[in-house]
Amino acid sequence: MAPSGTPRDEGERARMATAGDYTIASLDTGLRAMRLFLTHDTLTVTEAAELLSVGRSTAHRVLSTLEGRGFAIRDGSGRGYAAGPELVRLGRPAGFGRAARDRLGPVLEHAAGRTGETVHSSALIGDQVVVTDGRESSHPVRVTLELGRTGPAHAGSDGKLLLSRMTAEQVCALYPYEELEPLTPHTLTSRTALLEELAAIRRTGHAVSRGESVPGMTTVAVPLAGSSWRDRLALVAAAPADRSDDAALAERAERLRGSAALLRPARPA
């Protein structure tokens, strides 16, 4: 016997029944396809057809249409699709709301205690990062916590860490031009250099920024678990450069990983 479905599925069926003749079937299929990218990093035509309960030809047309409007892009294999830049910009990032703050609180407290530095969580919105929560260090000389601060993703460890969790094709869609805006003399200024650093971050599992966004400030970031690009966060420790040699950064990254492991799974929507 087929499962009866989740409460969300039942709610959708109720809404569809209420909508009646006002529902446009093709639009509904397209919207449901867009929502799949909130929980799937990539989708093949076959996978989309199965999840949407439509034929492969219909799934292909829907994905091709989303690609044409920038809501989907081809992945590196050429056989699948990933969330495009328009969908990334529209998606509400993780880390906001009371439930998210309750989950992140113990992680931030632990990270602040373990590193002794100002720590924060960051989310990615398009090619920008935003600080969602944090704890400020009690050290006399410290980095000030700025909740809600936004900045270019390519210029900070948090942004680079989150960009590294995306495919190269998604990154290129967010950065269609080779030249990147510098904030300081240390900021990456080319897409090629950014892609090379993102590849290195994928290998090491953490990102570092040495004065790339703010002169004299060094940050290191590790990932906070998330099932897709939409709900991934970066956990960041920020400190003055004179307390941030290579050994200190490596140790800080390990301590942040230990704190990140404390994050409780989010409740199903």
Side-chain angles (χ1 to χ4, degrees), residues 29-175:
T29 302
L31 292 173
R32 289 190 294 123
M34 287 173 60
R35 202 181 70 183
L36 290 178
F37 288 117
L38 300 181
T39 53
H40 295 74
D41 283 341
T42 60
L43 283 170
T44 65
V45 172
T46 298
E47 290 169 338
E50 292 175 353
L51 291 167
L52 297 171
S53 299
V54 298
R56 289 187 78 259
S57 60
T58 298
H60 183 265
R61 289 196 301 272
V62 168
L63 292 171
S64 296
T65 301
L66 293 178
E67 181 185 16
R69 291 295 182 180
F71 288 93
I73 59 172
R74 296 292 182 99
D75 66 11
S77 70
R79 297 188 297 272
Y81 293 80
E86 294 301 323
L87 188 57
V88 171
R89 293 188 183 100
L90 285 175
R92 183 188 179 192
F96 291 96
R98 181 172 180 177
R101 292 172 71 90
D102 287 346
R103 290 176 61 234
L104 288 170
V107 174
L108 293 167
E109 294 287 352
H110 187 270
R114 290 282 288 150
T115 65
E117 303 294 352
T118 296
V119 299
H120 67 261
S121 56
S122 294
L124 185 69
I125 306 177
D127 60 359
Q128 301 286 305
V129 286
V130 57
V131 176
T132 65
D133 202 356
R135 300 293 185 271
E136 190 166 307
S137 171
S138 60
H139 199 286
V141 181
R142 60 183 180 272
V143 173
T144 302
L145 177 64
E146 298 179 87
L147 293 180
R149 177 185 59 80
T150 61
H154 71 277
S157 63
D158 47 2
K160 291 187 293 183
L161 187 284
L162 293 169
L163 288 172
S164 77
R165 316 302 283 183
M166 304 172 73
T167 66
E169 292 76 22
Q170 286 175 313
V171 174
C172 288
L174 285 176
Y175 297 93

Side-chain angles (χ1 to χ4, degrees), residues 155-158 160 197 207-214 217-220:
S157 63
D158 47 2
K160 291 187 293 183
E197 183 155 347
V208 170
S209 172
R210 294 180 172 89
E212 296 172 43
S213 59
V214 178
M217 182 179 76
T218 300
T219 65
V220 60

